[in-house]
Amino acid sequence: MKRLATLAAALGCLLPLAGNAQAAPASAPPAADARVHWIDKNTLAWPKGLGDPARPHRLVHDSGSFPLTREPGGLTAEQRAKHPHLAHHDAFRLDARGKERTALRGKLRAETDRVSTGVQIPGVLDDLYAAAAGKARLGPVFRDGRPTLSVWAPTARRVDLELDGRTVAMRRDAASGIWSATGPRDWTGKPYRYAVTVPSPAAGKTVTNLVTDPYSTALTADSARSLVTDLAAPALAPPGWRTLRKPPAVPLRNAQIQELHIRDFSAADRTARHPGGYRAFTDPGSDGMRHLKSLADAGTSYAHLLPAFDFATVPERRTDQATPACDLPALPADSPRQQECVGQAAARDAYNWGYDPLHYTVPEGSYASDPDGTRRTVEFRQMVQGLAGAGLRTVMDVVYNHTAAAGQDPKSVLDRIVPGYYHRLLDDGTVATSTCCANTAPEHAMMGKLVVDSVVTWAKEYKVDGFRFDLMGHHPKANVLAVRAALDALTPARDGVDGKAVILYGEGWDFGEVAGDARFVQATQRNMAGTGIATFSDRARDAIRGGGPFDGDPRAQGFASGLFTDPNGATPGTPDEQRARLLHAQDLVKVGLTGNLADYRFTDSAGRDVRGADVDYNGSPAGYAAAPGDALAYADAHDNETLYDALAFKLPRGTAPADRARMQVLAMATAALSQGPALSQAGTDLLRSKSLDRNSYDSGDWFNAVHWDCAQGNGFGRGLPPARDNADKWPYAAPLLADPALRPGCGPVRAASAAYRDLLRIRTTEKAFDHATTAAVQRDVTFPLSGRDETPGVITMRLPGLTVVLNATPHERSQRIGALAGTAHTLHPVQAGGADPTVKSASYAVGTGTFTVPGRTVAVFRQEG
């Protein structure tokens, strides 16, 4: 639990919108005064101890009040199952005699003697409206060229359509709570927004909000207005879009994923014709595209794009974007001036990771050549085409778990249309913010519908091949499975895409107000096992790197950073204690290599017969997957330090650049050579650095750009990282950044990238890495030298026809497998003819079954005959 609390606290600092001049200051949340829940048409859940239960209770509305009758048995079993966090509340029955809908369109208070509190209404709204509204198509819908605009606003007293300077009355459907208006063909292309007159708890009164469409398909610049747009219009299809042929679909269990940020991709690419935007992916001759193609040729199958939907914190017009006013390259490598200068421009620069959603189903405008209109749609599609041309399918990072703002904030869209519904409220009625921002509530029917509808739109209209769910554990498992079912229903004949080939994965962390399935069965690591939807595995990641992502001292070592075998002098513990930690880390890496399988059995470093689930990871089972493909392996991603920067902190200071590169490849290999999918951050194979920045979401191009040309450096030594999230690490960082020996130069960069691509070729061409079931992995994957006598710093893995030796020590090591004596093995032909001269000295003694591998080397041997 301590680890989960630390994680939640850290996540709370990831996207602090306050102080960002582009985003309006966050509005105050609703007063902490909505403690009673109206959970269905006839029932209120009332907290025990809130007033005297024997006294009269009533629900007060604008036209009077409804008397409430206490149910002696409390909530029913069905109600408790649907609302587990309210299971111990008292239950009060009301009979509104058909006036529920009218009452919900005004101010509500729950009262008894000396108690008056607001009322949370998502449950009753779902009970009254979800059945009808859930089947409806919202946003712009075209029939025979005529658009209908529809918005769900069941608590609104009035909704008008403001269309291109005029007002059009909208019609309310009583059963669904949806307001709609149908217009002529010439509405197409016109800007619009809704004028929603609605009671607002945040404002404490009825207000008229001018709001864009949550189901927008296009926007004007800076999201000021929605646009009446038909995504099927031929004018929005770039040449070749209708007949686009994607690279063959790769099953999730075999996916090799390259995670990248659109602006990072081309910000430092001097050959890119369209730096910082979608069209940078349409230039096959750019440094970035040539590198992506080389990775695709080696086996990378997906490009995972950080959020590319419309987000809140970047001015979309380039003329409005600020740039740092300093001569950044002239400043010393360990100077605080770079981060100061970047920080002064950060509020209005062109950079943000984009985890602050504004409109979920419109491409971000700052990446388009013209944000004012539909160019963003055309150019997003061109980007998908460009990636496909390079041999890559496209994954989108989606962030449905929170919004940029709530309440009456100008950046709040959902909450100004149906106040108190789309966000998850705490016991007192305030909006939960455990994800860093205003948490949404996909457990509510219409928020869950928005998630499903949005994903399906991206898949159908933009030909997106996969989705990575940010903080997926804050979604109900049922919601993510509904996304899977909706995608599976898409067919090439009817929809233009094969939805079954679309992959899904996400962050299955378990924390916050939903932790432990407190409100619903969550989409967490444990719960998603067996669904075919993968979750990121932090188990092997931490064992590989050493320590954890939130350590106060970043120098703690792990398997791939020299723990025990190459001590840095700062890692705590005696040599015996470090050895024991290393051997346990090796057990975690082995579990990772099997695909994090819960039921895989092997001999651990203590000589015990264990399952993956028996291996401890900070008090939790290391193995949780039911099959390969349930867990996604990675050594680094956009969060936390890049792998190079982590190793800069952890490896001994005097480690040569060439050896740092070798350790980087070894760390990447533990993910790439595992059963199941693997992800790598863009540029990691090029030893990418962010100058030790652990949270670069708003650190600008200076710290974030990927330097595809090694002559530009790898990003290390560009000044101390921003104080906001790194000041406590500056005493460790400054000496490293000032050391020119830690800037690797082109030799190590090129060597690391080539060696990694060789490993990708092996991983994606050898069937031994493709197992679909736990039983198959149990049968075919072994660690023959595990046990009390295994070599610290070395893992040996046997697969059908292959032996993999990962030697993380600085020195040559021999691994004898007596059962293989007399059988012939040679270095895998990809490595034997590959780019790494060191691995070519790896050898095998047939008489004894002994594999000998150089230090800091991954060697793959193939059995002959």
Side-chain angles (χ1 to χ4, degrees), residues 459-474:
K460 283 181 60 175
E461 304 297 346
Y462 292 93
K463 302 187 180 181
V464 172
D465 305 294
F467 297 89
R468 176 266 195 191
F469 280 76
D470 182 63
L471 299 182
M472 190 170 70
H474 270 56

Side-chain angles (χ1 to χ4, degrees), residues 25-33 200-204 405-409 415 424-426 428-433 438:
S27 61
D33 187 29
S200 168
Q408 286 296 106
D409 190 290
D415 208 24
R424 185 176 300 121
L425 304 181
L426 299 176
D428 61 3
T430 55
V431 175
T433 58

Side-chain angles (χ1 to χ4, degrees), residues 170-463:
M170 301 188 79
R171 180 180 60 84
R172 183 181 192 270
D173 177 68
S176 66
I178 291 172
W179 300 73
S180 60
T182 299
R185 293 171 183 264
D186 66 5
W187 278 16
T188 301
K190 298 291 196 301
Y192 73 98
R193 59 183 177 176
Y194 300 120
V196 183
T197 302
V198 66
S200 168
K205 60 182 180 180
T206 295
V207 297
T208 297
N209 288 321
L210 301 177
V211 195
T212 48
D213 191 341
Y215 274 75
S216 294
T217 52
L219 296 161
T220 62
D222 292 323
S223 313
R225 300 286 191 281
S226 303
L227 288 170
V228 183
T229 302
D230 182 2
L231 293 178
L236 303 187
W241 179 248
R242 302 297 181 198
T243 57
L244 175 63
R245 293 177 64 88
K246 289 291 189 76
V250 174
L252 178 57
R253 69 177 184 272
N254 290 329
Q256 295 292 312
I257 303 165
Q258 186 82 178
E259 180 203 61
L260 59 88
H261 182 270
I262 288 172
R263 188 167 181 89
D264 293 356
F265 173 73
S266 59
D269 192 340
R270 289 177 290 195
T271 64
R273 291 184 290 117
H274 307 286
Y278 302 121
R279 291 194 295 171
F281 296 88
T282 67
D283 183 0
S286 71
D287 290 343
M289 286 305 294
R290 286 191 293 112
H291 190 75
L292 286 186
K293 188 174 188 312
S294 74
L295 289 170
D297 291 344
T300 298
S301 42
Y302 292 89
H304 161 153
L305 306 174
L306 265 66
F309 50 67
D310 180 57
F311 52 84
T313 44
V314 169
E316 292 188 339
R317 293 185 179 93
R318 293 181 184 177
T319 54
D320 295 334
Q321 296 168 356
T323 57
C326 309
D327 184 2
L328 297 173
L331 297 170
D334 59 347
S335 170
R337 286 287 297 125
Q338 293 95 326
Q339 63 90 28
E340 285 179 12
C341 191
V342 167
Q344 288 164 5
R348 305 242 1 131
D349 70 1
Y351 197 89
N352 201 285
W353 278 350
Y355 289 95
D356 51 336
L358 197 52
H359 296 88
Y360 285 116
T361 322
V362 182
E364 164 60 19
S366 66
Y367 296 144
S369 61
D370 182 358
D372 205 12
T374 55
R375 286 304 305 168
R376 59 177 84 188
T377 293
V378 175
E379 291 174 9
F380 189 104
R381 289 169 167 175
Q382 289 175 324
M383 174 180 66
V384 172
Q385 286 177 304
L387 289 169
L392 296 166
R393 295 168 75 88
T394 301
V395 169
M396 273 190 74
D397 200 325
V398 287
V399 190
Y400 298 110
N401 65 83
H402 63 240
T403 58
Q408 286 296 106
D409 190 290
K411 296 292 185 183
S412 170
V413 175
L414 297 171
D415 208 24
R416 288 194 295 145
I417 295 176
V418 192
Y421 177 82
Y422 282 103
H423 291 93
R424 185 176 300 121
L425 304 181
L426 299 176
D427 291 344
D428 61 3
T430 55
V431 175
T433 58
S434 59
T435 65
C436 83
C437 308
N439 295 1
T440 60
E443 64 269 28
H444 301 161
M446 295 304 285
M447 183 62 212
K449 171 181 168 61
L450 175 56
V451 173
V452 174
D453 290 348
S454 177
V455 168
V456 168
T457 298
W458 286 112
K460 283 181 60 175
E461 304 297 346
Y462 292 93
K463 302 187 180 181

Side-chain angles (χ1 to χ4, degrees), residues 37 39 45 75-89 427 443 513-522:
H37 302 253
I39 62 171
L75 299 179
T76 67
E78 182 180 359
Q79 289 169 334
R80 290 195 300 270
K82 190 170 184 179
H83 308 279
H85 63 299
L86 306 178
H88 300 294
H89 281 47
D427 291 344
E443 64 269 28
E513 74 285 352
V514 297
D517 299 332
R519 294 189 176 219
F520 44 78
V521 177
Q522 302 161 258

Side-chain angles (χ1 to χ4, degrees), residues 30-56:
D33 187 29
R35 289 167 283 173
V36 169
H37 302 253
W38 192 353
I39 62 171
D40 59 39
K41 178 181 176 180
N42 301 119
T43 312
L44 270 71
W46 196 292
K48 290 183 182 298
L50 184 65
D52 183 349
R55 302 295 296 170

Side-chain angles (χ1 to χ4, degrees), residues 36-123:
V36 169
H37 302 253
W38 192 353
I39 62 171
D40 59 39
K41 178 181 176 180
N42 301 119
T43 312
L44 270 71
W46 196 292
K48 290 183 182 298
L50 184 65
D52 183 349
R55 302 295 296 170
H57 288 57
R58 58 195 170 274
L59 177 64
V60 180
H61 54 90
D62 285 353
S63 300
S65 65
F66 303 129
L68 304 176
T69 303
R70 185 167 182 256
E71 295 283 0
L75 299 179
T76 67
E78 182 180 359
Q79 289 169 334
R80 290 195 300 270
K82 190 170 184 179
H83 308 279
H85 63 299
L86 306 178
H88 300 294
H89 281 47
D90 287 331
F92 282 83
R93 184 172 181 83
L94 82 160
D95 182 1
R97 300 184 182 276
K99 297 180 180 178
E100 303 89 350
R101 288 174 169 83
T102 301
L104 283 160
R105 298 169 75 182
K107 185 177 180 179
L108 294 171
R109 302 291 292 176
E111 295 184 352
T112 186
D113 289 353
R114 295 183 298 279
V115 171
S116 178
T117 182
V119 179
Q120 298 188 32
I121 60 174

Side-chain angles (χ1 to χ4, degrees), residues 693-710:
D693 189 351
R694 65 168 297 270
N695 186 19
S696 67
Y697 78 95
D698 200 21
S699 300
D701 296 334
W702 180 252
F703 289 100
N704 280 289
V706 181
H707 300 275
W708 305 109
D709 180 356
C710 58

